[in-house]
Each structure stands twice: as C-alpha cells, then as structure tokens.
Amino acid sequence: MNSPMFSRTASQESALQTNKVLRNTYALLSMTLLWSAVVAGISMAMNLPRPGLIIMLVGFYGLLFLTEKNRDNSMGLVFTFLFTGFLGYTIGPLLNAYIGAGMGDVVLTALGGTALSFMAASAYALTTKRDLSMMGGLMLSLFVVLVVGMIASIFIQSTILHLALSSLFIVFSTMAILMTTQGIIRGGETNYISATVTLYVSIYNIFISLLSILGIMGNDD
C-alpha cells in the first residue's frame, strides 16, 4: 500500500532535483555571459592583443580540464569564471578588429543570431517529446570532421573551407545545446557546472562562427 505513495514521492524529488539543476544552470550561465562581456569590454578598451595559438589552446583546455575536475566542489565555480573570463578576453581583440574594419553591424547581427539560435534550441529541447540523445553518434562524427577540417585549414587557406567549418561549428554547437538541455530535463545531466560550461562554449562557438561567416560575406560585397 505504501508503494504508490513512495513512487509519487520519488517522482516529486526527481522533479525538484531537475528543476534545481535547470535553475542553477541558467543562473550561472547568465552570470558567466555577463562576466565574459565585461572582460571582453575591458579587453577592447585596453586594446589587448589576440592570444597566440599556444596560449589559446593551453588556456582553453587547461581551464576546461580544471573546471570539470572540480565541478563537484566550490573551486569548480572559481574555474568556471576563470574559464569564461579567459574566453571573454579572447573575444575583445576580435571585436576590435571587426569594429575597426567598419563591421560593427556584423557584430550586432552575430549577437542577435546567437541569441535567437540559443533561445530556439533551448525552447525546442524543453518542449519536445523526441529523444535527442540519438544525436550523440552524429555529434561524434561531426567532431571528427571538425578536427580534421581544422588541421587541414592550417595548411589550406580556403574561404570555402573556412565557411564550411564555421557552418559545421554552428550545427555541432546547436546540437550540444539541444542534448544538454534535454539531458537536464530528463535527469541525464545532474551537474549544473558541467551543463553551464557546455552551454557557454556552445554559445561562444556559435557567436564566433557567425562572426566569421558574416565577416566573409561582408567582405565579398
């Protein structure tokens, strides 16, 4: 006789946990985006130089590793803000380059496109009844293609290749938003720090990719 009551209680606890992870994820994501924007603004105001490839790779993967390693303790939050702050710094010089070239409208369009893409993907993941985990295999294939493409772009300077890679990054990042958001809803993702970092990196990649695509198209006009 107690089993139905137990079942309802367990279900309610699961729903509360899911809502808590979702709420914490979006709260932390909002704070990291704001923090990143502030750092980007400081980077622009100080006219800081773009980091080299080595600094970019070490900073990105090093801070990402430390964030994930400490995701279950308070240091995870510290590294989350260090990580997103570092990426904010890398955006500053890039925005200065676009604005300096008279492409401020491209920056605004990329920001708007990124916001719309995130909101649309999140809304779909929150409302659809389809199981989006099936995209995992496709994402792995896309990841391999992106890695090979990025290596090839080092030796092959091709506008078409650059456009293709940027487009694939947008597709890959949108899929990551879909899977992560649904993972939270269905209880597959229970750590809000990991979820926040995944969503942040996806938003970052979409923005940078849109900047690249719109910048190339603008130069062709």
Side-chain angles (χ1 to χ4, degrees), residues 103-125:
M103 294 184 176
D105 57 329
V106 168
V107 174
L108 292 177
T109 302
L111 280 172
T114 302
L116 286 175
S117 298
F118 175 73
M119 288 188 293
S122 297
Y124 181 76

Side-chain angles (χ1 to χ4, degrees), residues 164-186:
L165 284 174
S166 296
S167 299
L168 287 176
F169 261 113
I170 293 174
V171 174
F172 181 85
S173 299
T174 301
M175 293 171 69
I177 293 171
L178 288 169
M179 287 189 62
T180 301
T181 304
Q182 190 178 81
I184 297 173
I185 295 299
R186 299 194 173 185

Side-chain angles (χ1 to χ4, degrees), residues 46-64:
M46 297 180 65
N47 200 26
L48 297 178
R50 296 181 65 178
L53 179 62
I54 300 300
I55 294 177
M56 184 66 187
L57 291 176
V58 172
F60 182 91
Y61 289 105
L63 289 171
L64 181 62

Side-chain angles (χ1 to χ4, degrees), residues 64-85:
L64 181 62
F65 170 78
L66 290 172
T67 302
E68 283 297 315
K69 184 178 181 181
N70 293 277
R71 64 180 186 173
D72 294 318
N73 58 64
S74 59
M75 285 303 296
L77 289 173
V78 174
F79 286 116
T80 296
F81 281 96
L82 286 176
F83 175 68
T84 55

